[in-house]
Amino acid sequence: MELPVLSEETVSFAFERSKEMLEMLVDFKELRMMYTCAIKEVKTKFEVLDTEFKVRYRRNPISDIESRLKSNQSILEKMERRHIPFSLENVEKNINDIAGIRVICSYIDDIYLLADALSAQDDIKILEVKDYIKNPKPNGYRSYHMIVSVPVFFAENRRNMKVEVQIRTIAMDFWASLEHQMKYKKEIPDQGEISARLQHCANGIAAIDQEMLALREKIEAAEDKPTEEDILVEKLMKIDVPLY
């Protein structure tokens, strides 16, 4: 079978298109690297706060810090849902949650304590805040969301990168993790009943969060106010607290 002879123009066009695609793939990989570095920057900020609270205060508000980089498939699917043409510029401009940090706290007031501490840092710019604790989603989801911009310094330049920060209690994270698993199970009968029961569970967990905070505050109020000597002794006892 004789193969068709391609014109010089066709070969040249195919070569240029292939070259453009390869360059975009390289640039996209570099962009993902930048988001990975942005995650490290914000995660380090929370780790610094965690270390400070561990040494300076009587209670440590951070239980765990998790991070994730959105997959290529999820990025493409999100852009397709929004009818946004794929380009590196459109990815940076329109997708705010490529880089993500999740901070798990023990109590509700810790959420706002940490959010305020991060917001007060002069190199952090707050782009968006969604308080799903004061205003839960219809399904019962609760969490505190921030989109922040953080400067990342590379060898030859500095880039301001966006990172999504989620701050929630252990109880909120427990509910959200199970709800996330359940919503990917298709063709389940009685969806309405399941949604109602999930919302009921979310309300119950929120009530427990409030009750645990009230109990902690009551215990703290009953404690004797420490003297200057007590504070000094407590600080001396924390000299050997591990800093990492």
Side-chain angles (χ1 to χ4, degrees):
M1 180 179 178
E2 186 176 351
L3 296 175
V5 178
L6 299 178
S7 67
E8 185 177 339
E9 291 79 6
T10 301
V11 172
S12 177
F13 175 79
F15 175 78
E16 288 300 323
R17 287 295 296 161
S18 299
K19 184 180 175 182
E20 288 174 10
M21 289 295 294
L22 286 173
E23 288 176 350
M24 179 177 285
L25 285 173
V26 171
D27 290 343
F28 186 57
K29 184 175 182 179
E30 184 173 324
L31 181 63
R32 287 180 62 81
M33 175 274 292
M34 292 179 179
Y35 278 113
T36 300
C37 294
I39 288 173
K40 291 181 179 180
E41 289 283 350
V42 177
K43 186 175 182 181
T44 297
K45 287 180 176 296
F46 280 112
E47 288 172 344
V48 168
L49 290 171
D50 189 35
T51 301
E52 177 189 3
F53 288 128
K54 189 182 295 182
V55 172
R56 186 170 288 180
Y57 301 105
R58 303 174 70 183
R59 181 173 55 81
N60 183 2
I62 298 177
S63 173
D64 191 23
I65 304 173
E66 303 170 357
S67 63
R68 66 105 182 94
L69 186 68
K70 203 174 191 69
S71 69
N72 294 336
Q73 181 178 346
S74 295
I75 293 171
L76 292 172
E77 288 175 351
K78 194 164 192 175
M79 296 189 76
E80 186 176 343
R81 287 197 304 270
R82 296 182 177 183
H83 306 290
I84 301 170
F86 181 82
S87 70
L88 298 184
E89 182 181 356
N90 283 343
V91 169
E92 279 198 85
K93 182 179 178 181
N94 296 286
I95 310 299
N96 293 332
D97 61 345
I98 295 175
I101 292 283
R102 182 176 298 148
V103 182
I104 313 300
C105 304
S106 298
Y107 300 96
I108 292 175
D109 62 341
D110 293 334
I111 294 172
Y112 297 100
L113 173 69
L114 292 169
D116 290 343
L118 182 68
S119 301
Q121 299 188 18
D122 57 13
D123 61 340
I124 286 285
K125 183 178 180 181
I126 307 301
L127 303 178
E128 183 180 313
V129 171
K130 291 183 179 179
D131 190 342
Y132 294 117
I133 299 170
K134 293 179 180 177
N135 302 289
K137 288 186 178 183
N139 66 348
Y141 174 86
R142 288 168 170 83
S143 186
Y144 190 90
H145 289 203
M146 308 166 71
I147 304 297
V148 305
S149 175
V150 61
V152 183
F153 293 84
F154 300 100
E156 298 179 355
N157 64 349
R158 173 187 125 159
R159 289 282 295 271
N160 292 318
M161 307 297 299
K162 288 185 285 188
V163 178
E164 183 191 50
V165 177
Q166 299 178 1
I167 314 177
R168 59 177 67 155
T169 64
I170 298 170
M172 293 173 191
D173 190 58
F174 164 75
W175 182 91
S177 297
L178 294 183
E179 191 272 345
H180 181 75
Q181 293 176 24
M182 291 179 186
K183 75 179 182 181
Y184 284 105
K185 297 183 182 296
K186 307 298 183 183
E187 305 301 329
I188 300 176
D190 303 320
Q191 284 281 2
E193 179 193 352
I194 290 172
S195 296
R197 291 175 69 178
L198 277 170
Q199 187 176 43
H200 177 73
C201 289
N203 293 337
I205 286 173
I208 291 172
D209 260 337
Q210 292 289 351
E211 182 66 16
M212 295 301 291
L213 176 59
L215 285 171
R216 194 207 77 208
E217 290 175 340
K218 186 172 183 178
I219 291 169
E220 289 177 345
E223 293 176 347
D224 294 331
K225 187 175 181 180
T227 64
E228 290 184 6
E229 290 77 12
D230 292 334
I231 294 172
L232 178 59
V233 169
E234 185 172 352
K235 286 184 177 180
L236 288 170
M237 291 174 65
K238 290 181 177 178
I239 287 178
D240 292 329
V241 171
L243 299 182
Y244 55 88

